Amino acid sequence: MVIDLVSFTICYIVSYFLSNAGSYLISGILLCAEGVFLFLKNIRNERSFPDPKALFSFSWVFCIGISALKLSNLQGKWDSRTWLCFYLIFVCFFMVCGIVQKKLAGKKSGVSFPFRTYPADVIPVIVTLTVISTVCFLVEACVLGYVPLFTTDTPHAYSYFHISGIHYFTILFVLEPSFFVYYGLHRTKSRRKDLTAVICTVICLILPLLLVSRFQLVFSILLACFSFLLLKGFNAVRALKKRDILLILTGMLLLVCCYVFLTVERAHSVEYLNGIFEMKDPHTPIFITQPYMYVANNFDNFNCLVEQLPEHTHGLRQLFPVFALTGLKFKFPELVNFPIYVTKEELTTVTMFYDAYYDFGIPGCVIFSSMLGLLYAFTDHLIQRVKTPGTAVCASILYSCLFLAFFTTWFSNPTIWFYLVVCIAIEFVLWYFETYKHKERNQLS
């Protein structure tokens, strides 16, 4: 761990001076290479994958390098405080997570839970999530009078397809593919159950298409992938047969096709996107421009915050989930109405630590990243010992947020907390029924 931090520090300082000297290309490439190096090194050193330190090395250091390339006219030199925040965020997370992981690994006994190994039947969960999402989607469509997919020339159709309170339940379809993965790994020979699970999963993959939500589609697939890795282990990926690899590649191709389809349906033409992103090379292909700006501009938005924020909000930004889920934001709108500082009005994605700086500045970033290091160390320790449906999906949500740390303020998003609460509730319901069945079997015998 010490070698990793020393390597990162040297690379980061060199990159900082190169960037300030205008050598953006070299500065960015150096940080990208360091991010890949730390990612691969921590995968090799740890017993399991995904490892939090490896994921954060990629999602933070590598993505800072992508942004440091400065390929867009929207990007400028970063404030020294921005460089300091990015450095401290990584060091604090990496150091706290590494230390706690070693402490937990040194314990002789693992986490002891009464429900740590029970084989749960998740078909009722799969059906329930599908029914709830479908019914709520139909309610929203009837009340609002339209379905986003069937509108024309409306880039923001999904943004307005929202009824407060109900929409949280509409987007529960995001969780279903992860439970389908659990079912697939523990399935019994029942054609009826297999057919039910497949039909429900297809419905839950169609819903984000109807909503024209690229994010919901990608996030649901990402959750399913992490669920597989957490439940089966990284070695299972190496043991895949040619047929499995072909199916995965086919699935990835279909996902890309769906993503492009949704981009077109959102009326996001090549000219529209290139006009917003303002790439220095106007001939940059859109398949490079779009992912680049979804990564790079978030760090520049953080820099805008650092340079323009007049005063800190002392916790109100990060308490937004409380205000949203309790309805306080409707009664006291002043609690949530704060301006967002971005390079351009249309580009509102930010990093995970945007609200931490908004609330408390540099100390906020240090404390929040340290808390996340602690959280992910315990999550890593827990998921290696508890392979139950609810814990697996909860961990998948957390790991997905870490993998996309460059994208948005996940822990200030009430939807993420709603997902976690639902997964915890599902876990305890499954545990209760499995425990009840076990007692019945003992009494009969």
Side-chain angles (χ1 to χ4, degrees):
M1 184 175 69
V2 174
I3 295 174
D4 292 345
L5 290 175
V6 170
S7 169
F8 169 69
T9 300
I10 293 172
C11 177
Y12 196 82
I13 292 172
V14 173
S15 182
Y16 167 75
F17 284 110
L18 285 171
S19 183
N20 283 341
S23 300
Y24 298 130
L25 187 63
I26 302 175
S27 173
I29 291 174
L30 189 61
L31 280 172
C32 287
E34 179 67 13
V36 172
F37 165 74
L38 292 172
F39 174 74
L40 296 175
K41 185 174 181 295
N42 282 277
I43 286 178
R44 185 186 62 189
N45 289 346
E46 296 298 328
R47 295 172 299 168
S48 63
F49 181 86
D51 173 65
K53 300 193 301 303
L55 281 181
F56 195 60
S57 296
F58 184 82
S59 68
W60 195 248
V61 181
F62 178 81
C63 291
I64 289 174
I66 292 292
S67 184
L69 293 170
K70 310 291 184 189
L71 301 181
S72 167
N73 290 318
L74 293 174
Q75 299 177 282
K77 285 186 178 180
W78 289 338
D79 191 285
S80 295
R81 291 169 294 174
T82 300
W83 281 96
L84 180 60
C85 282
F86 292 165
Y87 174 78
L88 292 175
I89 285 168
F90 180 76
V91 169
C92 291
F93 178 93
F94 200 92
M95 188 168 59
V96 171
C97 186
I99 291 172
V100 176
Q101 277 181 319
K102 285 186 177 180
K103 292 284 187 183
L104 293 173
K107 290 185 177 182
K108 294 182 180 179
S109 60
V111 179
S112 178
F113 284 98
F115 50 86
R116 56 189 271 178
T117 56
Y118 69 83
D121 180 7
V122 293
I123 287 295
V125 175
I126 289 173
V127 173
T128 302
L129 290 175
T130 305
V131 170
I132 290 174
S133 291
T134 305
V135 170
C136 290
F137 168 78
L138 293 174
V139 169
E140 288 192 302
C142 291
V143 173
L144 297 174
Y146 72 99
V147 173
L149 179 63
F150 304 126
T151 58
T152 56
D153 299 322
T154 50
H156 305 291
Y158 173 60
S159 301
Y160 301 110
F161 191 84
H162 186 100
I163 297 177
S164 295
I166 294 179
H167 197 67
Y168 286 115
F169 295 93
T170 301
I171 56 177
L172 279 177
F173 61 76
V174 167
L175 302 177
E176 193 276 342
S178 296
F179 287 101
F180 176 75
V181 167
Y182 183 92
Y183 170 77
L185 294 174
H186 300 83
R187 60 184 288 267
T188 57
K189 294 182 179 180
S190 172
R191 290 186 179 180
R192 181 178 58 83
K193 287 187 176 182
D194 290 350
L195 183 61
T196 301
V198 170
I199 291 174
C200 288
T201 303
V202 170
I203 291 172
C204 287
L205 292 176
I206 289 174
L207 285 174
L209 298 179
L210 294 174
L211 290 171
V212 197
S213 175
R214 294 169 299 182
F215 170 72
Q216 301 290 359
L217 176 65
V218 173
F219 193 60
S220 62
I221 300 300
L222 187 62
L223 285 179
C225 292
F226 273 116
S227 293
F228 176 81
L229 290 170
L230 292 169
L231 290 167
K232 198 68 177 175
F234 187 52
N235 289 331
V237 178
R238 299 175 183 173
L240 289 174
K241 299 177 181 178
K242 290 182 179 180
R243 184 190 64 179
D244 299 325
I245 294 173
L246 182 61
L247 286 172
I248 291 171
L249 292 176
T250 304
M252 291 175 65
L253 179 61
L254 288 173
L255 179 61
V256 171
C257 292
C258 289
Y259 187 89
V260 173
F261 170 74
L262 291 179
T263 299
V264 173
E265 288 299 319
R266 292 186 71 167
H268 286 177
S269 65
V270 174
E271 294 77 15
Y272 172 80
L273 294 174
N274 275 330
I276 289 177
F277 295 156
E278 297 184 27
M279 298 294 281
K280 291 178 180 178
D281 182 0
H283 302 294
T284 304
I286 194 62
F287 63 84
I288 293 177
T289 300
Q290 190 176 20
Y292 174 79
M293 288 309 298
Y294 272 123
V295 173
N297 196 71
N298 305 340
F299 294 94
D300 290 278
N301 284 343
F302 187 98
N303 185 63
C304 286
L305 175 70
V306 171
E307 293 180 335
Q308 300 174 24
L309 184 66
E311 60 180 351
H312 298 294
T313 47
H314 308 295
L316 291 180
R317 288 280 299 191
Q318 289 176 293
L319 284 174
F320 178 75
V322 176
F323 302 143
L325 294 173
T326 59
L328 286 173
K329 71 173 185 177
F330 300 109
K331 191 170 184 179
F332 305 102
E334 66 274 9
L335 293 173
V336 297
N337 289 339
F338 298 105
I340 183 171
Y341 300 94
V342 293
T343 59
K344 202 166 186 176
E345 184 181 358
E346 295 89 347
L347 303 174
T348 57
T349 52
V350 293
T351 72
M352 186 188 287
F353 302 91
Y354 187 92
D355 285 349
Y357 187 90
Y358 208 127
D359 278 341
F360 301 108
I362 295 176
C365 291
V366 169
I367 295 171
F368 185 56
S369 58
S370 300
M371 291 173 63
L372 287 181
L374 186 66
L375 169 67
Y376 281 98
F378 275 103
T379 301
D380 178 63
H381 182 72
L382 176 66
I383 199 60
Q384 290 182 39
R385 291 156 176 79
V386 183
K387 303 290 187 179
T388 54
T391 55
V393 181
C394 274
S396 298
I397 294 170
L398 294 176
Y399 279 115
S400 297
C401 293
L402 189 63
F403 182 68
L404 298 174
F406 60 85
F407 186 69
T408 191
T409 55
W410 296 103
F411 293 96
S412 300
N413 186 339
T415 305
I416 295 300
W417 290 104
F418 181 72
Y419 285 155
L420 291 172
V421 169
V422 168
C423 289
I424 292 170
I426 289 171
E427 177 63 36
F428 277 100
V429 169
L430 288 174
W431 167 72
Y432 174 80
F433 280 107
E434 291 301 324
T435 304
Y436 179 74
K437 286 180 184 178
H438 181 68
K439 286 181 178 177
E440 275 195 337
R441 284 193 294 266
N442 288 340
Q443 288 175 358
L444 291 173
S445 60

